[in-house]
Amino acid sequence: MKSPIIPIATKLAGFGFFLAVFVPLFILSFFNHPSAADDYCFADTAVREGFWQAQVYYYDWWTGRYFSNFLVHGNPLVWGWYDGFRLIPALSILGLLGSVFSLMSELLRGQRITTILLTTALLFFSMMVAQQSTVEAFFWTAAVASYTVPTALTFYLLAVMIRWYRLPAAGLIRPLTVVWASFLVFAIVGSGETNLILLVLLLLAIAGYRLLFQRTFDPFLAGLVLAALISSWLLFRAPGNAVRMGGNPHSGDFVASFLGSFGWLAQSVGTLLLKSPLIPLSLLFVPVALRLTRSGSPVRHLFQLPAWLVSIAYVGLLAAMIFPSYYGIGLPPAFRTMNVFYDMALVGWLFTLTVWVNTLARQGVIHSERLQVPMWAPALAGVWMLTSLYFSRPIRLVYNDLLRGHAATYNREMNARREQLLASGESLRIRPISVYPPSLFVEDINPNPQHLWNKCQAGYYKHKTILLMMNDKR
């Protein structure tokens, strides 16, 4: 007989691993400061030109990402709330976690709340150990607005879409939900090209399946597709896109970008399977997948799809997320793009796995009555998760910055620098920070006072020039 202690210990260990990544990230949030890279430029433009005129300027001269532009030009510096930057990482972490929980609550509807919470916790843990850069995921506001925010909104939108079909036809709740879902599409598409392509293709795939395979025209999906296409046109028509892409001679090569995307995809999936505990956790999830797809499950219909078709869509969507980087700048995706890639890959893997379990169960390959997870599976998962945690460079850097006092030193010296920046005077000579914690820091001002980062800070604090004194010892 299986001891009841084992499943209890397994669940406690799962939540323990979640806390091992969540707690240090959340604590680190309160050491955050505005970055010289972009944060001050957005704030200076908004304060000098006005909030709405700043939107027009960036739309015309740099990027069509109208929604992320809206967010960054309303950053706390614009309102004179410097310490507001300490809340941005915490809110981003909680927002991503909450959106994953919202989606899992829909996909795992009918399961115990403990199962939903544990699945959410383990997914979040896997996302964090697989991510490429902590600072670009939660601490650099420009990247948060263009990548983390639309990723969280995408997960939440999927939950809203699933929930919509259960709403009563009578009353205002359904029409209002359509409006809300359309706004989410508008916001996601307007945040960045990575999530734009993912969402447009995903909506087209779902609507196409409903129309071609189920012979059903879905007005709700059609409306969301229309909203996505209009929003995409609004983003791509921006004159600023041509300015940004025109600066790279390797951009715009479709064939090379297509081939490069699939090559990078193969490498990235291999990395994901090694860096995250996806394989052992998949084994532990099979019994849950069987419960989700058995007769009487309220979500069974979500997974009664052709497994081969879902697999093709899964691979295609992942490749499509990589494509904008190759097509736009002719280079592999940046860390912030890969953060989004791994988040989506993990959630998509869970869904695809459940579809395959449903298919194999219907074919008689898997029998829920006879299926038993091996006794060694939880132990394997625990060892794999511990190994993933240890070898995750971003998470190790988080612990290093906290435990060695780098974050505290950075926080103290940045507070002192701000006091100096608030002082009056045409020209300022600023000492370098003695430590630049990689989990918090992106870029500093430059020894050249005419560098853009220096000019933005000088403009924001009403100085003529700001000079970084490189002759001082760090």
Side-chain angles (χ1 to χ4, degrees):
M1 178 181 292
K2 186 176 180 181
S3 172
I5 297 177
I6 295 178
I8 294 174
T10 301
K11 292 174 183 177
L12 290 176
F15 287 119
F17 278 112
F18 160 74
L19 292 174
V21 295
F22 174 81
V23 171
L25 284 171
F26 195 80
I27 293 173
L28 194 66
S29 171
F30 299 99
F31 296 95
N32 193 41
H33 288 262
S35 172
D38 291 327
D39 289 345
Y40 278 101
C41 292
F42 291 133
D44 180 51
T45 304
V47 171
R48 187 180 66 253
E49 303 292 338
F51 179 78
W52 293 110
Q53 190 58 37
Q55 315 299 311
V56 175
Y57 176 81
Y58 269 80
Y59 187 81
D60 287 341
W61 293 102
W62 187 242
T63 176
R65 298 173 180 175
Y66 54 83
F67 190 75
S68 60
N69 283 344
F70 177 86
L71 294 179
V72 295
H73 284 106
N75 77 56
L77 285 175
V78 177
W79 315 109
W81 186 27
Y82 184 89
D83 288 334
F85 273 82
R86 304 181 192 278
L87 297 180
I88 290 175
L91 292 175
S92 302
I93 294 165
L94 291 174
L96 180 62
L97 179 62
S99 68
V100 174
F101 173 75
S102 181
L103 180 55
M104 291 303 105
S105 296
E106 292 300 320
L107 291 177
L108 275 63
R109 190 163 57 91
Q111 302 300 304
R112 294 179 178 178
I113 185 62
T114 307
T115 301
I116 298 173
L117 288 172
L118 185 59
T119 304
T120 301
L122 294 177
L123 266 177
F124 185 83
F125 172 85
S126 300
M127 290 174 178
M128 294 305 100
V129 297
Q131 69 179 351
Q132 298 289 286
S133 170
T134 299
V135 66
E136 294 186 22
F138 302 117
F139 295 90
W140 182 25
T141 303
V144 170
S146 296
Y147 294 89
T148 307
V149 168
T151 299
L153 291 181
T154 299
F155 291 145
Y156 175 61
L157 172 64
L158 293 175
V160 170
M161 290 171 59
I162 296 172
R163 193 178 302 129
W164 183 85
Y165 292 95
R166 303 200 315 273
L167 296 176
L172 291 176
I173 187 65
R174 265 201 168 192
L176 289 176
T177 303
V178 172
V179 174
W180 177 237
S182 299
F183 170 76
L184 291 174
V185 170
F186 174 80
I188 294 165
V189 169
S191 295
E193 295 78 7
T194 300
N195 289 88
L196 178 156
I197 289 184
L198 171 71
L199 182 60
V200 170
L201 291 180
L202 180 60
L203 290 175
L204 286 172
I206 298 172
Y209 176 79
R210 294 274 286 162
L211 185 63
L212 298 177
F213 287 81
Q214 297 183 334
R215 307 295 183 183
T216 301
F217 175 75
D218 192 325
F220 175 56
L221 279 174
L224 295 185
V225 169
L226 181 62
L229 294 177
I230 294 174
S231 301
S232 300
W233 171 81
L234 185 61
L235 184 145
F236 284 122
R237 71 172 293 276
N241 291 325
V243 176
R244 183 160 51 96
M245 292 179 62
N248 194 305
H250 301 290
S251 64
D253 190 333
F254 181 86
V255 175
S257 301
F258 182 84
L259 296 175
S261 298
F262 278 96
W264 191 262
L265 171 64
Q267 177 181 334
S268 301
V269 170
T271 301
L272 178 64
L273 293 175
L274 290 175
K275 287 185 62 177
S276 75
L278 191 55
I279 294 175
L281 292 182
S282 296
L283 180 61
L284 294 177
F285 188 75
V286 170
V288 178
L290 282 169
R291 294 199 300 269
L292 294 174
T293 57
R294 68 188 177 188
S295 178
S297 169
V299 294
R300 184 185 185 189
H301 63 284
L302 296 175
F303 307 105
Q304 290 183 317
L305 304 169
W308 63 271
L309 188 61
V310 172
S311 300
I312 292 174
Y314 175 61
V315 173
L317 288 172
L318 292 181
M321 294 177 64
I322 299 172
F323 181 81
S325 296
Y326 279 100
Y327 188 77
I329 60 176
L331 296 172
F335 284 165
R336 51 191 173 273
T337 302
M338 293 309 299
N339 287 344
V340 179
F341 173 89
Y342 286 131
D343 291 350
M344 295 296 178
L346 287 163
V347 173
W349 178 283
L350 192 72
F351 183 85
T352 305
L353 172 65
T354 307
V355 172
W356 272 105
V357 168
N358 175 66
T359 300
L360 295 175
R362 291 171 62 184
Q363 294 175 351
V365 178
I366 298 178
H367 300 278
S368 57
E369 297 82 6
R370 297 200 296 264
L371 180 70
Q372 288 188 348
V373 175
M375 294 286 290
W376 47 263
L380 173 64
V383 172
W384 203 310
M385 292 175 72
L386 193 62
T387 304
S388 298
L389 184 63
Y390 179 79
F391 284 103
S392 172
R393 186 174 183 272
I395 297 299
R396 290 178 67 183
L397 289 175
V398 169
Y399 274 99
N400 184 71
D401 289 338
L402 283 173
L403 298 178
R404 296 195 175 187
H406 295 167
T409 301
Y410 172 76
N411 179 57
R412 183 176 60 254
E413 295 185 8
M414 286 296 289
N415 285 335
R417 174 183 286 190
R418 179 171 180 260
E419 293 300 320
Q420 188 177 0
L421 288 167
L422 288 171
S424 59
E426 285 195 356
S427 298
L428 282 183
R429 295 168 65 85
I430 302 295
R431 293 183 178 87
I433 302 299
S434 64
V435 60
Y436 293 115
S439 57
L440 284 168
F441 174 79
V442 180
E443 286 188 53
D444 201 355
I445 53 176
N446 196 274
N448 177 11
Q450 298 305 310
H451 191 277
L452 180 60
W453 303 154
N454 299 51
K455 293 169 69 175
C456 289
Q457 283 202 36
Y460 179 79
Y461 287 106
K462 311 302 181 186
H463 300 296
K464 187 175 181 180
T465 58
I466 293 179
L467 175 66
L468 186 67
M469 301 164 58
M470 292 304 295
N471 57 319
D472 283 25
K473 291 184 179 181
R474 300 191 181 190

